[in-house]
Every structure is written in C-alpha cells, then in structure tokens.
Amino acid sequence: MTKTKKGTFIVFEGIDGTGKSTQIIRLANAFKKMGHDVVVTSEPTEGVFGKKIRALYQNRSMVSTSEELDLFIKDRREHIDTLINPSLRAGKIVLSDRYFLSTAAYQGAAGCSPEAIIACHRFAPDPDLAIIIEVPPQLCIRRITEKRGDQLNDFEQLESLKKVDSIFKQMDLPYLERVDGSVAEEDVHRQVRELIKRLLPHLFHSVSGEHQ
Ligand code: TYD
C-alpha cells in the first residue's frame, strides 16, 4: 500500500442514484470556504480506460466480467498515478466519487469475489474515510428515471443494484462509515459533516485557524 501522503483522501461510495456527486460538491464548497485546497474527482475517469468503460454502459456483454474488472483497475491505476497521489503529496484534500469499494460491489455483483477485488488493490492508497451513502435500490431507480429523466444503463438495472447494495451492506473496513441518503439533501450533508468532524476533526479548523 502506498503510504506517501500528507493530504486527506475521502471517497464517496454507494449504488447509482444515491446523490454522491451532489454531496461531494457541497462538501468541497464547505472545505473551500475554510481555505482548504480541494480536488474533486471521480471514477470511471475521463482517461483512456474510463472512456472504454463508458462505451460499455449500454451493452456490458461486449466484454467478459474479467475484462471489465481489468478496465476498472487500469483506470484506477492511472487515476492514482496522475491525480490522487500527486494531490495527496501536495497536501490537498481529495474527494472522489467512487473508488475501489465500487469495484468490489459492482464487479462482485457480476460474479467476482469482493474480498479478492479488495485484496488486489494493495497498490492503491487506502482512503482516510470512505462514506457509503445508503438509499434503498427502489428509491434510487425512481430518482434516476424520474428526476434525471434518464434511461437505466446496464449497470443500473434494479436486480443488479440490489446485489450491489447487498455487497456494500456487508463491507466492514476500518475507514468505512455510512450515512442515510434517503433524507433531504441538506440532512445528508449534515450527517457527512458530523462524521468528518468526529473522525477527521483537524479538517474543521479553517486554514486561518478559525474553528468551523
Ligand atoms: P457513475 O458513478 O455513474 O459514473 P458517471 O456518472 O460518470 O457515469 O459510474 C458509472 C457506473 O460504473 C456505475 O453504474 C458504477 C459502475 N462502476 C463499476 O461497476 N465499477 C467500478 O469500479 C466503478 C468505479 C464504477
């Protein structure tokens, strides 16, 4: 595991439609107000492998499960080398929308072993905190189709999301915490802040020294 970091690495996890990206933006704004240097990023990335992954959204059967797994891992290696590690070394707060627990849950639901997936991420720095936003799969599907007006892609079908959700629920790791994402956006944000205040209290002292 890479331990060469002095920044703070927080990742958001959960099934599709849980509101991760909204919560990341709110948290990033709060940190920026305190004077922190914040990097917001996400997986799959916009890199070569991320683009290949996006091409699979409407037809996952174009590749085998192990090829799909391989693409997510290659995308992550590139993400870590080009953005995550350099930002952490520079002392920044890195907020990522998805990281390797998504691979354990989604490719786990597709038939790989979640434990083996986590084990093969020894190359990846552990996050300081991983927050799973929990929302019942039925509600997520409703949010995706009604609010976003989107069609469900191959990763988002109800039965698959239920499987992914149950793998996320079974995870137990020292840096892993959960919040209830079925409540109002503002209340989810409050839960996230409380969690960070409790576990990473130093981040709530503004860079100028003021307590938030
Ligand atoms: P998503 O967060 O929806 O990205 P975007 O909004 O940019 O399209 O992720 C896309 C899909 O990829 C989502 O259904 C989860 C899936 N996924 C995996 O199956 N494995 C992984 O390792 C990651 C990072 C995502």
Side-chain angles (χ1 to χ4, degrees), residues 178-200:
R178 294 175 163 84
V179 299
D180 175 9
S182 64
V183 295
E185 206 181 293
E186 185 59 45
D187 295 327
V188 183
H189 179 60
R190 200 167 302 128
Q191 293 176 63
V192 168
R193 284 179 76 114
E194 277 164 14
L195 205 57
I196 297 171
K197 258 189 189 159
R198 178 160 60 82
L199 300 172
L200 302 166

PDB file of all heavy atoms in Angstrom, residues 178-200:
ATOM      1  N   ARG A 178     -21.147   4.945   7.189  1.00  0.00           N
ATOM      2  CA  ARG A 178     -22.365   5.000   6.373  1.00  0.00           C
ATOM      3  C   ARG A 178     -23.237   6.185   6.772  1.00  0.00           C
ATOM      4  O   ARG A 178     -23.270   6.545   7.949  1.00  0.00           O
ATOM      5  CB  ARG A 178     -23.172   3.713   6.571  1.00  0.00           C
ATOM      6  CG  ARG A 178     -22.453   2.495   6.040  1.00  0.00           C
ATOM      7  CD  ARG A 178     -23.223   1.213   6.350  1.00  0.00           C
ATOM      8  NE  ARG A 178     -22.744   0.129   5.506  1.00  0.00           N
ATOM      9  CZ  ARG A 178     -21.682  -0.616   5.772  1.00  0.00           C
ATOM     10  NH1 ARG A 178     -20.981  -0.408   6.873  1.00  0.00           N
ATOM     11  NH2 ARG A 178     -21.293  -1.571   4.944  1.00  0.00           N
ATOM     12  N   VAL A 179     -23.921   6.774   5.792  1.00  0.00           N
ATOM     13  CA  VAL A 179     -24.925   7.788   6.117  1.00  0.00           C
ATOM     14  C   VAL A 179     -26.230   7.426   5.398  1.00  0.00           C
ATOM     15  O   VAL A 179     -26.220   6.711   4.398  1.00  0.00           O
ATOM     16  CB  VAL A 179     -24.488   9.235   5.717  1.00  0.00           C
ATOM     17  CG1 VAL A 179     -23.239   9.680   6.438  1.00  0.00           C
ATOM     18  CG2 VAL A 179     -24.301   9.368   4.207  1.00  0.00           C
ATOM     19  N   ASP A 180     -27.339   7.939   5.955  1.00  0.00           N
ATOM     20  CA  ASP A 180     -28.645   7.673   5.368  1.00  0.00           C
ATOM     21  C   ASP A 180     -28.902   8.692   4.264  1.00  0.00           C
ATOM     22  O   ASP A 180     -29.072   9.880   4.533  1.00  0.00           O
ATOM     23  CB  ASP A 180     -29.707   7.776   6.482  1.00  0.00           C
ATOM     24  CG  ASP A 180     -31.123   7.644   5.952  1.00  0.00           C
ATOM     25  OD1 ASP A 180     -31.300   7.309   4.750  1.00  0.00           O
ATOM     26  OD2 ASP A 180     -32.064   7.880   6.733  1.00  0.00           O
ATOM     27  N   GLY A 181     -28.944   8.220   3.027  1.00  0.00           N
ATOM     28  CA  GLY A 181     -29.108   9.123   1.887  1.00  0.00           C
ATOM     29  C   GLY A 181     -30.550   9.264   1.439  1.00  0.00           C
ATOM     30  O   GLY A 181     -30.807   9.899   0.408  1.00  0.00           O
ATOM     31  N   SER A 182     -31.497   8.670   2.195  1.00  0.00           N
ATOM     32  CA  SER A 182     -32.896   8.733   1.741  1.00  0.00           C
ATOM     33  C   SER A 182     -33.580  10.010   2.233  1.00  0.00           C
ATOM     34  O   SER A 182     -34.702  10.288   1.849  1.00  0.00           O
ATOM     35  CB  SER A 182     -33.661   7.489   2.199  1.00  0.00           C
ATOM     36  OG  SER A 182     -33.708   7.465   3.602  1.00  0.00           O
ATOM     37  N   VAL A 183     -32.905  10.777   3.083  1.00  0.00           N
ATOM     38  CA  VAL A 183     -33.482  12.015   3.621  1.00  0.00           C
ATOM     39  C   VAL A 183     -33.125  13.207   2.722  1.00  0.00           C
ATOM     40  O   VAL A 183     -32.456  13.032   1.702  1.00  0.00           O
ATOM     41  CB  VAL A 183     -32.993  12.245   5.077  1.00  0.00           C
ATOM     42  CG1 VAL A 183     -33.522  11.141   5.988  1.00  0.00           C
ATOM     43  CG2 VAL A 183     -31.465  12.290   5.148  1.00  0.00           C
ATOM     44  N   ALA A 184     -33.558  14.415   3.131  1.00  0.00           N
ATOM     45  CA  ALA A 184     -33.294  15.605   2.307  1.00  0.00           C
ATOM     46  C   ALA A 184     -31.785  15.840   2.140  1.00  0.00           C
ATOM     47  O   ALA A 184     -31.000  15.538   3.042  1.00  0.00           O
ATOM     48  CB  ALA A 184     -33.938  16.825   2.956  1.00  0.00           C
ATOM     49  N   GLU A 185     -31.441  16.405   0.979  1.00  0.00           N
ATOM     50  CA  GLU A 185     -30.050  16.691   0.626  1.00  0.00           C
ATOM     51  C   GLU A 185     -29.276  17.377   1.762  1.00  0.00           C
ATOM     52  O   GLU A 185     -28.152  17.005   2.097  1.00  0.00           O
ATOM     53  CB  GLU A 185     -30.125  17.636  -0.571  1.00  0.00           C
ATOM     54  CG  GLU A 185     -28.951  17.621  -1.478  1.00  0.00           C
ATOM     55  CD  GLU A 185     -29.184  18.637  -2.599  1.00  0.00           C
ATOM     56  OE1 GLU A 185     -30.088  18.415  -3.431  1.00  0.00           O
ATOM     57  OE2 GLU A 185     -28.456  19.646  -2.623  1.00  0.00           O
ATOM     58  N   GLU A 186     -29.951  18.382   2.364  1.00  0.00           N
ATOM     59  CA  GLU A 186     -29.354  19.166   3.449  1.00  0.00           C
ATOM     60  C   GLU A 186     -29.029  18.269   4.656  1.00  0.00           C
ATOM     61  O   GLU A 186     -27.987  18.415   5.304  1.00  0.00           O
ATOM     62  CB  GLU A 186     -30.399  20.236   3.840  1.00  0.00           C
ATOM     63  CG  GLU A 186     -29.943  21.238   4.861  1.00  0.00           C
ATOM     64  CD  GLU A 186     -28.719  22.008   4.385  1.00  0.00           C
ATOM     65  OE1 GLU A 186     -28.708  22.443   3.231  1.00  0.00           O
ATOM     66  OE2 GLU A 186     -27.776  22.151   5.205  1.00  0.00           O
ATOM     67  N   ASP A 187     -29.943  17.337   4.946  1.00  0.00           N
ATOM     68  CA  ASP A 187     -29.735  16.442   6.097  1.00  0.00           C
ATOM     69  C   ASP A 187     -28.624  15.436   5.835  1.00  0.00           C
ATOM     70  O   ASP A 187     -27.903  15.039   6.747  1.00  0.00           O
ATOM     71  CB  ASP A 187     -31.040  15.705   6.446  1.00  0.00           C
ATOM     72  CG  ASP A 187     -32.106  16.677   6.923  1.00  0.00           C
ATOM     73  OD1 ASP A 187     -31.733  17.681   7.556  1.00  0.00           O
ATOM     74  OD2 ASP A 187     -33.291  16.449   6.626  1.00  0.00           O
ATOM     75  N   VAL A 188     -28.492  15.018   4.583  1.00  0.00           N
ATOM     76  CA  VAL A 188     -27.388  14.108   4.248  1.00  0.00           C
ATOM     77  C   VAL A 188     -26.077  14.867   4.452  1.00  0.00           C
ATOM     78  O   VAL A 188     -25.129  14.364   5.053  1.00  0.00           O
ATOM     79  CB  VAL A 188     -27.484  13.576   2.797  1.00  0.00           C
ATOM     80  CG1 VAL A 188     -26.369  12.582   2.512  1.00  0.00           C
ATOM     81  CG2 VAL A 188     -28.847  12.954   2.522  1.00  0.00           C
ATOM     82  N   HIS A 189     -26.051  16.116   3.978  1.00  0.00           N
ATOM     83  CA  HIS A 189     -24.844  16.947   4.123  1.00  0.00           C
ATOM     84  C   HIS A 189     -24.483  17.098   5.600  1.00  0.00           C
ATOM     85  O   HIS A 189     -23.316  17.009   5.981  1.00  0.00           O
ATOM     86  CB  HIS A 189     -25.079  18.313   3.477  1.00  0.00           C
ATOM     87  CG  HIS A 189     -23.914  19.250   3.582  1.00  0.00           C
ATOM     88  ND1 HIS A 189     -22.676  18.956   3.056  1.00  0.00           N
ATOM     89  CD2 HIS A 189     -23.789  20.477   4.185  1.00  0.00           C
ATOM     90  CE1 HIS A 189     -21.842  19.960   3.320  1.00  0.00           C
ATOM     91  NE2 HIS A 189     -22.492  20.882   4.000  1.00  0.00           N
ATOM     92  N   ARG A 190     -25.506  17.314   6.443  1.00  0.00           N
ATOM     93  CA  ARG A 190     -25.260  17.460   7.883  1.00  0.00           C
ATOM     94  C   ARG A 190     -24.625  16.188   8.447  1.00  0.00           C
ATOM     95  O   ARG A 190     -23.668  16.236   9.215  1.00  0.00           O
ATOM     96  CB  ARG A 190     -26.584  17.775   8.587  1.00  0.00           C
ATOM     97  CG  ARG A 190     -26.382  18.412   9.950  1.00  0.00           C
ATOM     98  CD  ARG A 190     -27.665  19.002  10.499  1.00  0.00           C
ATOM     99  NE  ARG A 190     -28.256  20.005   9.623  1.00  0.00           N
ATOM    100  CZ  ARG A 190     -29.534  19.988   9.204  1.00  0.00           C
ATOM    101  NH1 ARG A 190     -30.346  19.030   9.576  1.00  0.00           N
ATOM    102  NH2 ARG A 190     -29.986  20.951   8.420  1.00  0.00           N
ATOM    103  N   GLN A 191     -25.152  15.037   8.036  1.00  0.00           N
ATOM    104  CA  GLN A 191     -24.584  13.767   8.523  1.00  0.00           C
ATOM    105  C   GLN A 191     -23.122  13.627   8.096  1.00  0.00           C
ATOM    106  O   GLN A 191     -22.280  13.180   8.858  1.00  0.00           O
ATOM    107  CB  GLN A 191     -25.340  12.565   7.944  1.00  0.00           C
ATOM    108  CG  GLN A 191     -26.767  12.390   8.400  1.00  0.00           C
ATOM    109  CD  GLN A 191     -27.401  11.206   7.654  1.00  0.00           C
ATOM    110  OE1 GLN A 191     -26.964  10.074   7.797  1.00  0.00           O
ATOM    111  NE2 GLN A 191     -28.421  11.449   6.850  1.00  0.00           N
ATOM    112  N   VAL A 192     -22.841  14.017   6.852  1.00  0.00           N
ATOM    113  CA  VAL A 192     -21.471  13.907   6.328  1.00  0.00           C
ATOM    114  C   VAL A 192     -20.537  14.794   7.150  1.00  0.00           C
ATOM    115  O   VAL A 192     -19.467  14.375   7.587  1.00  0.00           O
ATOM    116  CB  VAL A 192     -21.430  14.289   4.826  1.00  0.00           C
ATOM    117  CG1 VAL A 192     -20.018  14.466   4.327  1.00  0.00           C
ATOM    118  CG2 VAL A 192     -22.174  13.250   3.979  1.00  0.00           C
ATOM    119  N   ARG A 193     -20.965  16.027   7.396  1.00  0.00           N
ATOM    120  CA  ARG A 193     -20.121  16.963   8.171  1.00  0.00           C
ATOM    121  C   ARG A 193     -19.875  16.442   9.574  1.00  0.00           C
ATOM    122  O   ARG A 193     -18.769  16.527  10.108  1.00  0.00           O
ATOM    123  CB  ARG A 193     -20.785  18.337   8.243  1.00  0.00           C
ATOM    124  CG  ARG A 193     -20.677  19.123   6.955  1.00  0.00           C
ATOM    125  CD  ARG A 193     -21.380  20.447   7.116  1.00  0.00           C
ATOM    126  NE  ARG A 193     -20.578  21.373   7.901  1.00  0.00           N
ATOM    127  CZ  ARG A 193     -20.056  22.501   7.412  1.00  0.00           C
ATOM    128  NH1 ARG A 193     -20.243  22.825   6.161  1.00  0.00           N
ATOM    129  NH2 ARG A 193     -19.356  23.295   8.176  1.00  0.00           N
ATOM    130  N   GLU A 194     -20.940  15.901  10.202  1.00  0.00           N
ATOM    131  CA  GLU A 194     -20.793  15.392  11.575  1.00  0.00           C
ATOM    132  C   GLU A 194     -19.783  14.253  11.625  1.00  0.00           C
ATOM    133  O   GLU A 194     -18.964  14.160  12.533  1.00  0.00           O
ATOM    134  CB  GLU A 194     -22.152  14.948  12.133  1.00  0.00           C
ATOM    135  CG  GLU A 194     -22.923  16.128  12.682  1.00  0.00           C
ATOM    136  CD  GLU A 194     -24.394  15.860  12.907  1.00  0.00           C
ATOM    137  OE1 GLU A 194     -24.801  14.675  12.888  1.00  0.00           O
ATOM    138  OE2 GLU A 194     -25.146  16.848  13.072  1.00  0.00           O
ATOM    139  N   LEU A 195     -19.876  13.401  10.601  1.00  0.00           N
ATOM    140  CA  LEU A 195     -18.954  12.265  10.521  1.00  0.00           C
ATOM    141  C   LEU A 195     -17.505  12.754  10.424  1.00  0.00           C
ATOM    142  O   LEU A 195     -16.614  12.280  11.132  1.00  0.00           O
ATOM    143  CB  LEU A 195     -19.319  11.502   9.243  1.00  0.00           C
ATOM    144  CG  LEU A 195     -19.006  10.044   9.112  1.00  0.00           C
ATOM    145  CD1 LEU A 195     -19.657   9.278  10.243  1.00  0.00           C
ATOM    146  CD2 LEU A 195     -19.565   9.554   7.774  1.00  0.00           C
ATOM    147  N   ILE A 196     -17.290  13.727   9.560  1.00  0.00           N
ATOM    148  CA  ILE A 196     -15.925  14.231   9.352  1.00  0.00           C
ATOM    149  C   ILE A 196     -15.438  14.981  10.594  1.00  0.00           C
ATOM    150  O   ILE A 196     -14.288  14.842  10.995  1.00  0.00           O
ATOM    151  CB  ILE A 196     -15.848  15.086   8.072  1.00  0.00           C
ATOM    152  CG1 ILE A 196     -16.171  14.200   6.868  1.00  0.00           C
ATOM    153  CG2 ILE A 196     -14.473  15.721   7.902  1.00  0.00           C
ATOM    154  CD1 ILE A 196     -16.334  14.927   5.570  1.00  0.00           C
ATOM    155  N   LYS A 197     -16.336  15.728  11.226  1.00  0.00           N
ATOM    156  CA  LYS A 197     -15.960  16.442  12.460  1.00  0.00           C
ATOM    157  C   LYS A 197     -15.506  15.460  13.531  1.00  0.00           C
ATOM    158  O   LYS A 197     -14.576  15.715  14.286  1.00  0.00           O
ATOM    159  CB  LYS A 197     -17.161  17.226  12.998  1.00  0.00           C
ATOM    160  CG  LYS A 197     -17.078  18.690  12.672  1.00  0.00           C
ATOM    161  CD  LYS A 197     -18.149  19.478  13.392  1.00  0.00           C
ATOM    162  CE  LYS A 197     -18.143  20.891  12.847  1.00  0.00           C
ATOM    163  NZ  LYS A 197     -19.369  21.620  13.074  1.00  0.00           N
ATOM    164  N   ARG A 198     -16.177  14.307  13.580  1.00  0.00           N
ATOM    165  CA  ARG A 198     -15.847  13.306  14.594  1.00  0.00           C
ATOM    166  C   ARG A 198     -14.558  12.570  14.251  1.00  0.00           C
ATOM    167  O   ARG A 198     -13.713  12.352  15.116  1.00  0.00           O
ATOM    168  CB  ARG A 198     -17.025  12.319  14.706  1.00  0.00           C
ATOM    169  CG  ARG A 198     -16.818  11.181  15.689  1.00  0.00           C
ATOM    170  CD  ARG A 198     -18.143  10.554  16.103  1.00  0.00           C
ATOM    171  NE  ARG A 198     -18.905  10.003  14.977  1.00  0.00           N
ATOM    172  CZ  ARG A 198     -18.678   8.813  14.447  1.00  0.00           C
ATOM    173  NH1 ARG A 198     -17.716   8.050  14.920  1.00  0.00           N
ATOM    174  NH2 ARG A 198     -19.414   8.374  13.443  1.00  0.00           N
ATOM    175  N   LEU A 199     -14.391  12.206  12.961  1.00  0.00           N
ATOM    176  CA  LEU A 199     -13.271  11.327  12.599  1.00  0.00           C
ATOM    177  C   LEU A 199     -12.034  12.061  12.118  1.00  0.00           C
ATOM    178  O   LEU A 199     -10.921  11.564  12.261  1.00  0.00           O
ATOM    179  CB  LEU A 199     -13.742  10.325  11.529  1.00  0.00           C
ATOM    180  CG  LEU A 199     -14.896   9.427  11.985  1.00  0.00           C
ATOM    181  CD1 LEU A 199     -15.431   8.623  10.824  1.00  0.00           C
ATOM    182  CD2 LEU A 199     -14.440   8.503  13.114  1.00  0.00           C
ATOM    183  N   LEU A 200     -12.227  13.223  11.497  1.00  0.00           N
ATOM    184  CA  LEU A 200     -11.085  13.991  10.977  1.00  0.00           C
ATOM    185  C   LEU A 200     -11.223  15.443  11.440  1.00  0.00           C
ATOM    186  O   LEU A 200     -11.344  16.363  10.621  1.00  0.00           O
ATOM    187  CB  LEU A 200     -11.065  13.919   9.435  1.00  0.00           C
ATOM    188  CG  LEU A 200     -10.999  12.526   8.795  1.00  0.00           C
ATOM    189  CD1 LEU A 200     -11.321  12.586   7.307  1.00  0.00           C
ATOM    190  CD2 LEU A 200      -9.617  11.914   9.000  1.00  0.00           C
TER     191      LEU A 200
END
